[in-house]
Amino acid sequence: MDHTNPVEPDNSHMNRTAETITLIGAGLNGPLLATSLKKRGFHVEIYERRPDMRKVRISAGRSINLALSTRGIHALAQANLWEAMRPIIIPMKGRMMHSAAGEITFQPYGKDESEVINSISRAELNIALLNAAEAAGVTIHFQQRCTGFDPTTGAIELRDERSGAATIVKSGVVIGCDGSASAIRSEMLKMSRFNFSQRYLDYGYKELTIPASTDGTHLLETHALHIWPRGNYMLIALPNIDGTFACILFLPFEGAESFARLTTHADVLDFFESRFRDALRLMPQLPDNYFANPTGAMVTIKCSPWHVEGKWLLLGDAAHAIVPFFGQGLNCGFEDCTCLLELTDRYGADWPRVFKEFEEQRKVNTDAIADMAIENFVEMRDRVADPRFLFRKKVELTLEAKYPLQFVPKYAMVTFHRVPYSVALARGVIQEGILAELCDPIRRIEDLDWTKADRLIRSELSALEQVS
Ligand SMILES: Cc1cc2nc3c(=O)[nH]c(=O)nc-3n(C[C@H](O)[C@H](O)[C@H](O)COP(=O)(O)OP(=O)(O)OC[C@H]3O[C@@H](n4cnc5c(N)ncnc54)[C@H](O)[C@@H]3O)c2cc1C
């Protein structure tokens, strides 16, 4: 995938408008979108409820690392920001699995070393995006919480988080980039015939840290995403550029082995000693770390419509929050930005048309990745330790090597390509069937029936568009 050619937008045909586009939320999607809209000649302002993270230390539990992959990289490259990110990313070539007995196995993510995912600190990425937005001329108003919005007048109600003072600003176009608990979406919930569903997992997550060694290097293999799969729950660790690892413990909220049972330092130490012994050796501050950080919840949110009369729009997690197990929430949000920008390049400030086509193109795909993310939860916590699953993964890569345009593993389609998520989902179902037919009767890759593979791939996949 070539990420090196950013698009310099051709503004000549655009019906440019003096009206302000107001974005709510300066998380990850807001500043990226704002930067690119500003470069296209729009006047853009952002209102963000938090303080400026470049001046105030971010709160505990908000520094979790993200896995950035092709869709996200493409969006950054289009905005001419990808090269600047390179110093703050660490490529991860595969999953390093840590068994309960302390054995380590490595499973590559892709067919070769070009197919990697990239660990990046959320805070570092957010800061880079805030800097880029301001450098492009976007005004960001911090500590301004959106508390309401009147679509008939375009009035946005804001509360200053320091003084409590309420103000109103008017804006012709408002884009809610305010995350999974979106205030803009809450206003839309008051409309008639607004569809909304939210589904929480019974699992929570907690951020933990593996410190760097005394000489500042990583205590585990640097270029891997480490997983301690334990059937019903798991620990993962992503490398940071300062030699530390950002870890996330995913555990049920309730039950025999759950967050509810870990109430004292001794509980936490005993649990890690029996379940994650090798990781515990690397976490001298574990109990303090554990109790200092909050336990987060994970939710899938689906809603529609995402837009009202070309005046307001939801984008990113505000429109479609997903659980983090495919590492795609941010990548999907950045792909939203790519899509919205392509539509503004085509239709200028014809917002009713832009917003309508945006939802038509994206909703089917964000629903698909939401479902695949739930499926991947089971894969990560449970199946990655199953020898039959690992065998299937090997067969998948072997088939991909022989049929690179027809048989691309679902993980690769989602992570290393930009085929629509809905296509990846549909092809993934067909491929699972082919894999079952080929793998179930055999134990060794040498016994793969190539004639049957050829026949199945020709009959079931050749008629579909190739994966590029
Ligand atoms: C544990 C975990 C791990 C993840 N790992 C990955 C990963 O590996 N790869 C990946 O692609 N994605 C990952 N994600 C998903 C990713 O974090 C989100 O998809 C992404 O942050 C969404 O960006 P956003 O800009 O839409 O929302 P956010 O990043 O949540 O930003 C929303 C912003 O809006 C502000 N805001 C909220 N309400 C208001 C208001 N009323 N007024 C003003 N401002 C407001 C917030 O303060 C925030 O700054 C992960 C998520 C979690 C929870």
Side-chain angles (χ1 to χ4, degrees):
M1 183 74 48
D2 179 10
H3 299 298
T4 55
N5 295 317
V7 169
E8 283 307 327
D10 169 13
N11 295 329
S12 54
H13 67 290
M14 277 192 14
N15 167 19
R16 238 170 293 159
T17 173
E19 86 189 341
T20 300
I21 301 175
T22 302
L23 270 51
I24 307 299
L28 300 174
N29 286 306
L32 176 64
L33 182 64
T35 303
S36 299
L37 286 171
K38 182 74 190 171
K39 285 181 182 169
R40 282 161 168 78
F42 294 101
H43 183 68
V44 189
E45 307 230 344
I46 309 183
Y47 291 87
E48 164 58 48
R49 74 175 151 86
R50 291 206 177 93
D52 186 343
M53 60 163 57
R54 295 165 297 184
K55 297 178 184 153
V56 177
R57 202 176 159 272
I58 58 164
S59 58
R62 287 290 302 169
S63 58
I64 277 171
N65 280 34
L66 302 163
L68 188 61
S69 53
T70 294
R71 294 165 204 266
I73 293 171
H74 178 79
L76 289 168
Q78 292 294 96
N80 217 354
L81 297 175
W82 170 233
E83 287 308 316
M85 300 295 168
R86 283 190 187 273
I88 56 170
I89 59 148
I90 296 186
M92 299 180 289
K93 297 174 190 165
R95 295 164 170 163
M96 188 76 86
M97 264 85 67
H98 299 251
S99 77
E103 290 148 1
I104 295 178
T105 45
F106 181 74
Q107 185 193 329
Y109 278 125
K111 61 179 185 305
D112 57 40
E113 301 228 330
S114 70
E115 295 195 335
V116 297
I117 58 175
N118 301 283
S119 176
I120 188 165
S121 134
R122 174 191 292 274
E124 299 248 20
L125 175 60
N126 210 153
I127 286 170
L129 292 171
L130 293 173
N131 288 338
E134 285 184 345
V138 174
T139 309
I140 309 174
H141 307 269
F142 290 97
Q143 293 180 277
Q144 298 294 322
R145 179 190 289 268
C146 172
T147 53
F149 177 57
D150 182 346
T152 47
T153 60
I156 305 166
E157 295 159 25
L158 296 162
R159 189 180 67 218
D160 187 304
E161 295 287 77
R162 292 152 293 194
S163 66
T167 48
I168 289 190
V169 295
K170 285 203 172 180
S171 182
V173 178
V174 178
I175 304 182
C177 303
D178 48 347
S180 58
S182 167
I184 297 292
R185 195 186 60 235
S186 298
E187 290 299 319
M188 291 168 89
L189 264 171
K190 296 174 191 163
M191 298 182 330
S192 64
R193 293 185 294 116
F194 183 75
N195 301 297
F196 175 73
S197 73
Q198 65 178 17
R199 197 176 172 89
Y200 281 93
L201 290 185
D202 294 336
Y203 287 73
Y205 71 91
K206 190 172 290 274
E207 181 194 337
L208 300 167
T209 306
I210 293 178
S213 68
T214 43
D215 61 2
T217 54
H218 290 104
L219 288 170
L220 294 166
E221 162 59 39
T222 304
H223 295 285
L225 190 153
H226 295 265
I227 309 183
W228 289 258
R230 297 294 181 264
N232 197 27
Y233 53 88
M234 67 178 166
L235 177 72
I236 68 170
L238 285 83
N240 274 316
I241 50 171
D242 63 1
T244 62
F245 279 90
C247 307
I248 312 177
L249 173 65
F250 294 101
L251 194 63
F253 280 113
E254 309 285 340
E257 292 178 303
S258 68
F259 283 114
R261 296 292 172 96
L262 304 182
T263 56
T264 65
H265 281 215
D267 293 340
V268 174
L269 287 171
D270 286 351
F271 178 65
F272 270 71
E273 180 64 36
S274 63
R275 300 291 184 258
F276 306 116
R277 187 173 300 156
D278 55 342
L280 176 62
R281 302 280 172 268
L282 309 175
M283 302 167 107
Q285 306 295 327
L286 173 67
D288 290 339
N289 205 202
Y290 183 94
F291 289 105
N293 289 339
T295 307
M298 289 170 286
V299 67
T300 301
I301 289 177
K302 293 182 180 174
C303 66
S304 69
W306 292 351
H307 62 98
V308 182
E309 293 169 6
K311 288 186 180 154
W312 24 333
L313 175 74
L314 300 174
L315 182 141
D317 274 21
H320 48 73
I322 64 177
V323 297
F325 303 105
F326 224 121
Q328 283 296 310
L330 164 72
N331 289 287
C332 176
F334 278 9
E335 195 172 60
D336 282 358
C337 297
T338 304
C339 177
L340 190 72
L341 293 163
E342 281 170 7
L343 291 168
T344 55
D345 288 344
R346 201 176 308 153
Y347 302 128
D350 183 355
W351 300 118
R353 191 168 186 187
V354 168
F355 291 177
K356 181 168 175 291
E357 282 202 25
F358 173 72
E359 182 169 351
E360 280 167 8
Q361 287 187 27
R362 294 299 294 156
K363 171 90 173 117
V364 61
N365 290 306
T366 59
D367 283 354
I369 188 60
D371 296 345
M372 288 191 283
I374 297 273
E375 279 170 26
N376 222 41
F377 178 39
V378 179
E379 175 167 326
M380 279 180 84
R381 68 165 201 220
D382 202 353
R383 296 183 68 205
V384 288
D386 172 358
R388 288 303 292 166
F389 171 80
L390 296 177
F391 178 64
R392 270 196 186 207
K393 286 275 165 200
K394 264 194 199 153
V395 173
E396 268 192 321
L397 291 176
T398 312
L399 291 175
E400 186 187 19
K402 182 150 185 216
Y403 305 97
L405 299 175
Q406 280 92 28
F407 195 104
V408 179
K410 184 170 80 180
Y411 184 84
M413 281 189 281
V414 167
T415 310
F416 306 125
H417 294 262
R418 293 200 302 123
V419 290
Y421 288 124
S422 55
V423 174
L425 177 62
R427 290 183 80 109
V429 171
I430 299 172
Q431 293 180 176
E432 269 300 302
I434 295 176
L435 275 176
E437 279 207 46
L438 294 174
C439 294
D440 287 354
I442 60 169
R443 292 284 173 275
R444 302 177 321 149
I445 208 124
E446 297 79 11
D447 298 332
L448 191 64
D449 182 344
W450 283 105
T451 313
K452 190 173 174 188
D454 201 55
R455 178 175 51 77
L456 287 170
I457 288 171
R458 272 179 204 286
S459 65
E460 303 200 26
L461 292 172
S462 291
L464 305 178
E465 211 174 302
Q466 295 184 339
V467 178
S468 56

